[in-house]
Amino acid sequence: MGVGTAPELGARRSSRSRIRLIASSGVVAMTAIAAALTGAAANVHAAPVFTAPKYNMSIGKAGGAFVYPFGMAWDPTVSDSTGTEPGSLLVDDYNNYDVKRFGSDGAYMATYSSKGKKPGQFSEQPSEIAVNPTNGNFVVAFAFNGYGYAQFNNQGQFMFQVTNPVAYYAPFIGISSTGEVYLVQSTGLNKSAPNIVLMYNSSGVSMGQFGTNGTNCSKGQFGVIRGIDVDNYGNVFVNDVSNHCIQVFTSTGVFEGYFGTRAQLSANTRGMKLDKTNDVAYIADAAKEDVVAYNYTLNPTTHNLASGTWAGTIGTPGLSVGSSCGGNGELDAPRDIAVGPDGTVYVSDYACWLIDAFHPLFDTTDGAGTWFNQIPDPSQPAPLGQLTSANGVAVSQDGSTVYVADTFNQRIQEFNGPTSTTGTPGSPIQQWGSRLPTLDGPFSLDYPRGVAIDPNTGNVWVSDTRSGYIKEYTTTNSPPSAPTVTFDQDFGGEGISPGQFFYSDGITVAPGPPGDPLNFLNPETLYIPDSGIGYFQVMQDVTGAGNYQTVAEFPCGTLVEPDVFNGCTSSAVDANGNIYAADFNDGAVAEFTPTIGTNGIPTYAQTQTIMLPGSKVLGGPYGVAISGNTMYVTQSTKNSVSEFDITNPAAAVYLGSWGTKGAGNGQLNRPLGIATDGAGNVYVDDYGNGRIEVFTPPPV
């Protein structure tokens, strides 16, 4: 049975108002069924004695690409052993929660910090870094932490952390040669936050802010901000993504001017860095998959901005689906820029786990803007079998095959299950997916969080969260032949209308409600919660030819600003067609009961809110699975799994909970997705430990 999952901390976008569903005239006529579905008998029964399942095995292990580059900065104070180009490159390794240093030749030098909550450790993912060119002190920003920034010296030793004022969405940061820090706060994930730049002195003391929300680049108004840097004179350059321009301010926040146009800069530009010797601004453009360059000039007397003119682009956009990470200067997900002392342009490519090095645009000897190296070489994606922030798990009914939504590695992984006869139980079989520019491409995945197995065909369905697409695949695994995966179809896309998804987490594939006429056309019904807007969609093949449309939608979960993306995250469906959805924000499982209308279209009404005894809330319920009459719910914040008897679907009975926090066998660290096989084994996505744990139920 497929199981939905929940978003990882961070990577959020604002909630939206829902467009009401209107039945499409394209839906085929259905047999009218007047009687409402009542489910199982309502007699109260004695719940069985609770016994926690026993740990069986683990599948997969924590791991990821050697470097997931997000932010970068050149440090002129620490050189590599070659000394060919004085200085070295600092890289925020986003998914590995640390900062790495590389020499100009690409050689790895050191790693600073680690994941954790102690001073100097990273409790959130580092998103950008900036270096004081005078002493090498560097500052690190975090996109989703709700506080300021951390500062280190050039040996990676922690100095201090700034926590006031709060910067909710602050993935970009700049620092001057005299130590003043400029931190972006933007509306990227919090609709109510202002678009401003926060200012701090060299000791981390607030000096105020500048900027205001708006659409006028000529008045110092900001839309979404990504990218900020400070030149040798203290001028602050700000990449205003929404308004397609680079705005320039004095060190105290007085507006000087702007350059750039909508035709030159897409609506998805990212980091920006300056070549402060040659007066060139470079902006990573994730949508166009290149780097945009501007020559800028300063007034010789005041050193304020005089002008900025488009100079060209660097990098080759990624080609077609399947050609991701081709190397030789191909850019698939450019995130940030760093500039060496000779003008070398370094570009972080988040999707390809590497940094590309280009000659500067003014280089007439080696070729203006041409590629010449990559770091590390070769790129090092996460090895097969390793998981980074995996969110979802699905298992075949015979327990032979397990699929995992390896979210931050942008892929689906297939493993041998505990009953496999074709490979070692727990060993990886194959993988597919890459964060490619064409998000509806066959194998393009953008933070997938939900995975489910079609009980009728065995096909694999994926809820590709950030792109909004629902994708179907056929897999084979018949040794000695090599395993294969074939793309079947996709539909959806990001949006808030029926048939679109804004932040879909989980996906369940099961038959429609009993009596649903569409079950005769195609027995697969897709049940998909959208945590980003607090709605649930039920999709069916209305023609029998793969034409999936939304036939029912209803609210699910309570969204509370600014803590959005906490609507229903996953679901399970019982034999009566009742939907049990994990309602994270309300600490409950919401049950929805179907009724077949006179037009043959099912409608759903919430009939029960399932909580712990005494109406005590569940601790961050994320995943839901059903085995027989037992429903399992992961409590992500309590590191446990709770069981309920749903023999009477109108009155679920709490049985008990199991699990303790830790990394040992059978222990849990923020469990998210959950699934069961035909034998009743329970598969838990142990998110914090980077593995899938299998538990065996006690003998009946």
Side-chain angles (χ1 to χ4, degrees):
M1 180 175 292
V3 175
T5 55
E8 82 290 350
L9 276 173
R12 301 288 189 267
R13 286 169 286 181
S14 300
S15 60
R16 306 293 176 90
S17 299
R18 186 63 174 165
I19 298 176
R20 296 181 61 85
L21 172 67
I22 301 175
S24 169
S25 60
V27 177
V28 299
M30 304 175 186
T31 304
I33 299 177
L37 299 177
T38 59
N43 294 330
V44 177
H45 66 285
V49 177
F50 171 72
T51 304
K54 294 183 179 180
Y55 170 79
N56 183 313
M57 65 179 296
S58 294
I59 297 174
K61 63 180 181 179
F66 171 66
V67 57
Y68 267 100
F70 198 104
M72 295 191 303
W74 185 264
D75 180 3
T77 69
V78 178
S79 297
D80 61 15
S81 58
T82 65
T84 55
E85 187 176 9
S88 52
L89 190 67
L90 288 174
V91 183
D92 275 340
D93 194 349
Y94 184 76
N95 283 359
N96 291 316
Y97 290 80
D98 59 39
V99 172
K100 289 183 170 62
R101 186 185 294 273
F102 296 90
S104 60
D105 60 348
Y108 166 76
M109 296 175 62
T111 295
Y112 306 126
S113 191
S114 61
K115 186 176 182 179
K117 296 183 178 180
K118 296 179 180 179
Q121 292 183 315
F122 296 157
S123 60
E124 301 293 342
Q125 291 158 311
S127 56
E128 201 188 36
I129 188 168
V131 175
N132 182 331
T134 302
N135 54 25
N137 291 343
F138 62 88
V139 289
V140 179
F142 306 88
F144 314 109
N145 60 359
Y147 59 75
Y149 63 91
Q151 183 161 319
F152 301 80
N153 66 19
N154 67 354
Q155 298 302 308
Q157 296 170 327
F158 176 69
M159 298 177 66
F160 59 83
Q161 183 167 295
V162 173
T163 59
N164 183 49
V166 169
Y168 179 74
Y169 180 62
F172 296 97
I173 193 167
I175 188 171
S176 71
S177 59
T178 52
E180 288 82 15
V181 173
Y182 300 87
L183 180 66
V184 165
Q185 175 174 286
S186 190
T187 59
L189 302 176
N190 182 1
K191 188 168 57 176
S192 62
N195 295 301
I196 57 176
V197 174
L198 304 172
M199 301 185 293
Y200 305 85
N201 68 16
S202 59
S203 299
V205 178
S206 174
M207 299 190 303
Q209 65 188 48
F210 63 85
T212 184
N213 289 7
T215 60
N216 194 330
C217 290
S218 66
K219 294 184 178 181
Q221 297 175 346
F222 294 137
V224 172
I225 305 169
R226 293 181 185 146
I228 188 167
D229 201 3
V230 187
D231 71 8
N232 292 330
Y233 297 99
N235 296 306
V236 183
F237 290 64
V238 181
N239 178 25
D240 184 344
V241 178
S242 302
N243 296 322
H244 310 274
C245 65
I246 307 301
Q247 299 189 44
V248 185
F249 299 80
T250 68
S251 61
T252 58
V254 178
F255 179 72
E256 298 179 14
Y258 78 98
F259 53 86
T261 68
R262 182 180 296 270
Q264 296 164 352
L265 299 169
S266 81
N268 193 20
T269 54
R270 299 286 177 146
M272 176 196 65
K273 289 294 192 311
L274 304 176
D275 180 340
K276 303 172 188 179
T277 301
N278 300 286
D279 295 343
V280 183
Y282 293 100
I283 302 97
D285 195 322
K288 294 182 178 180
E289 300 175 282
D290 60 16
V291 174
V292 182
Y294 289 90
N295 292 317
Y296 64 88
T297 58
L298 303 178
N299 184 296
T301 302
T302 63
H303 304 300
N304 291 340
L305 178 71
S307 65
T309 57
W310 185 80
T313 61
I314 286 178
T316 303
L319 302 178
S320 58
V321 171
S323 66
S324 179
C325 306
N328 296 316
E330 177 186 309
L331 299 176
D332 290 275
R335 280 293 181 273
D336 202 13
I337 313 293
V339 182
D342 64 350
T344 297
V345 181
Y346 299 90
V347 184
S348 61
D349 193 332
Y350 181 75
C352 294
W353 327 283
L354 54 81
I355 297 102
D356 285 298
F358 297 86
H359 293 295
L361 279 178
F362 52 80
D363 189 339
T364 58
T365 302
D366 299 308
T370 57
W371 176 88
F372 68 91
N373 191 24
Q374 67 182 36
I375 304 170
D377 189 5
S379 64
Q380 300 177 31
L384 184 65
Q386 292 188 5
L387 304 172
T388 301
S389 300
N391 272 224
V393 58
V395 58
S396 61
Q397 282 296 289
D398 63 2
S400 64
T401 308
V402 177
Y403 296 94
V404 182
D406 190 7
T407 306
F408 267 58
N409 285 325
Q410 318 287 354
R411 63 185 178 181
I412 304 297
Q413 291 201 64
E414 180 182 358
F415 293 85
N416 286 304
T419 64
S420 174
T421 59
T422 60
T424 303
S427 61
I429 298 173
Q430 64 178 329
Q431 62 181 328
W432 70 89
S434 179
R435 192 162 190 256
L436 298 175
T438 307
L439 292 178
D440 63 343
F443 296 98
S444 303
L445 294 176
D446 193 12
Y447 297 97
R449 285 175 173 79
V451 61
I453 298 177
D454 190 319
N456 185 53
T457 65
N459 289 351
V460 180
W461 289 85
V462 176
S463 174
D464 192 31
T465 305
R466 292 291 291 272
S467 74
Y469 284 97
I470 306 301
K471 304 192 175 189
E472 183 184 17
Y473 300 90
T474 298
T475 63
T476 63
N477 181 27
S478 304
S481 299
T484 63
V485 57
T486 305
F487 171 76
D488 295 319
Q489 65 170 324
D490 67 359
F491 47 83
E494 186 184 55
I496 60 175
S497 298
Q500 296 179 318
F501 299 93
F502 188 65
Y503 209 90
S504 62
D505 296 287
I507 181 170
T508 300
V509 185
D516 186 341
L518 283 179
N519 287 337
F520 295 100
L521 292 174
N522 191 330
E524 289 82 32
T525 296
L526 309 181
Y527 300 86
I528 308 169
D530 191 336
S531 70
I533 53 175
Y535 265 73
F536 199 106
Q537 295 193 53
V538 179
M539 304 189 75
Q540 292 182 305
D541 180 0
V542 299
T543 64
N547 182 23
Y548 282 87
Q549 293 185 22
T550 298
V551 297
E553 67 160 6
F554 44 88
C556 190
T558 303
L559 301 179
V560 180
E561 292 279 6
D563 198 16
V564 297
F565 290 87
N566 44 30
C568 292
T569 56
S570 68
S571 65
V573 181
D574 67 15
N576 299 307
N578 296 308
I579 300 172
Y580 300 82
D583 182 354
F584 171 78
N585 192 59
D586 297 319
V589 174
E591 180 187 355
F592 298 90
T593 300
T595 299
I596 304 297
T598 57
N599 59 358
I601 298 176
T603 59
Y604 292 83
Q606 184 169 348
T607 54
Q608 186 178 184
T609 299
I610 302 171
M611 306 174 81
L612 297 174
S615 298
K616 185 178 180 181
V617 297
L618 293 159
Y622 268 80
V624 184
I626 293 175
S627 178
N629 290 322
T630 302
M631 178 179 69
Y632 298 92
V633 184
T634 58
Q635 294 194 82
S636 63
T637 60
K638 293 185 177 180
N639 303 296
S640 62
V641 178
S642 294
E643 296 184 20
F644 295 84
D645 184 341
I646 56 171
T647 302
N648 179 359
V653 178
Y654 174 69
L655 300 177
S657 299
W658 45 272
T660 59
K661 184 175 182 179
N665 290 339
Q667 293 183 312
L668 301 170
N669 183 1
R670 198 169 173 236
L672 295 185
I674 190 168
T676 60
D677 62 21
N681 295 310
V682 183
Y683 300 72
V684 180
D685 174 12
D686 189 9
Y687 175 94
N689 290 320
R691 63 189 179 185
I692 306 299
E693 291 199 284
V694 185
F695 298 85
T696 300
V700 178

